[in-house]
Amino acid sequence: MSDGGPVPGPDGRPRCPWGLSTDDYLAYHDTEWGRPVHGDDALFERLCLEAFQSGLSWITILRRREGFRRAFDGFRIASVAGFTDDDRERLLADEGIIRNRAKIDATLANARLLAEWSPGELDTLIWSYAPDATGRPAPRTIADVPAVTDESAALAKDLKKKGLRFIGPTTAYALMQACGLVDDHLDGCAARGRPEPVGPEPRRS
């Protein structure tokens, strides 16, 4: 029985236990989670999806991600900022996304706000809260992974002060984990410390 530490995957390489619970999680764990994400639109997408995840499991969002991308025009800030009341009604009727009125309204409001920011401003602000990578030891078990940190609380406070909605310390930390501001892959996980997706073991001569 696992003690919460890395578990061998289908290829024998150790991974964080959550990454082996479904095929969707395995792909996400190996190719995306914890890898650096830059760009205002890309970070806006992650910010929105983390907000939609609030109160739900991440797998619920992950399996609807393509639906979200279609519904929100690829999460292009300039495009979403121009959504009309008709678009809002369309979103509320779209079964391919989470039809939560408050979360949809927050997404539209955030896009309108961010459309007024300078290019790169969102990227710069979010990444300014990336902690020193040497400041915290690698988590050994899932119990060692925090849900909130001082940095995530400060990031959420800054974003809310600037007018962004539906962002709290827990959502901010999930964003930091997903976008590579922190590396919370467990000590011994094949994906830890790797900016590139996990690939097959190199062949030995």
Side-chain angles (χ1 to χ4, degrees):
M1 181 179 296
S2 171
D3 61 356
V7 177
D11 57 0
R13 305 186 74 182
R15 290 174 172 83
C16 303
W18 67 265
L20 296 171
S21 57
T22 70
D23 289 343
D24 296 288
Y25 270 156
L26 178 61
Y28 180 65
H29 171 277
D30 283 4
T31 64
E32 293 187 58
W33 194 75
R35 286 170 177 77
V37 174
H38 284 283
D40 292 343
D41 289 344
L43 288 167
F44 174 62
E45 175 182 349
R46 271 57 168 200
L47 188 63
C48 293
L49 293 181
E50 294 294 350
F52 272 100
Q53 186 270 333
S54 179
L56 302 170
S57 65
W58 178 245
I59 196 66
T60 300
I61 304 302
L62 192 60
R63 289 174 173 167
R64 288 172 171 77
R65 184 163 57 170
E66 291 309 315
F68 274 106
R69 286 172 171 170
R70 287 190 296 271
F72 287 97
D73 196 20
F75 288 98
R76 294 187 301 118
I77 294 171
S79 178
V80 179
F83 276 19
T84 64
D85 287 343
D86 287 342
D87 288 307
R88 179 175 179 272
E89 294 307 310
R90 169 181 60 80
L91 293 168
L92 287 169
D94 191 335
E95 296 182 355
I97 66 172
I98 303 301
R99 294 176 291 173
N100 179 292
R101 188 180 301 272
K103 294 176 182 179
I104 288 172
D105 286 347
T107 299
L108 301 185
N110 289 345
R112 295 183 188 114
L113 177 67
L114 293 172
E116 300 299 320
W117 290 21
S118 301
E121 189 172 350
L122 178 63
D123 188 310
T124 299
L125 185 151
I126 289 175
W127 275 90
S128 72
Y129 287 93
D132 180 355
T134 64
R136 178 161 61 97
R140 299 181 64 83
T141 72
I142 54 176
D144 296 328
V145 179
V148 174
T149 63
D150 290 344
E151 292 87 1
S152 76
L155 172 58
K157 182 178 180 180
D158 197 357
L159 290 171
K160 290 169 72 173
K161 181 178 179 181
K162 293 181 183 301
L164 275 81
R165 295 162 52 180
F166 232 101
I167 177 74
T170 301
T171 298
Y173 193 64
L175 175 76
M176 293 171 70
Q177 292 174 305
C179 295
L181 280 75
V182 295
D183 184 354
D184 273 345
H185 286 286
L186 302 183
D187 187 27
C189 173
R192 182 167 180 82
R194 299 179 61 139
E196 76 283 357
V198 174
E201 285 276 17
R203 298 183 66 178
R204 299 169 188 253
S205 57

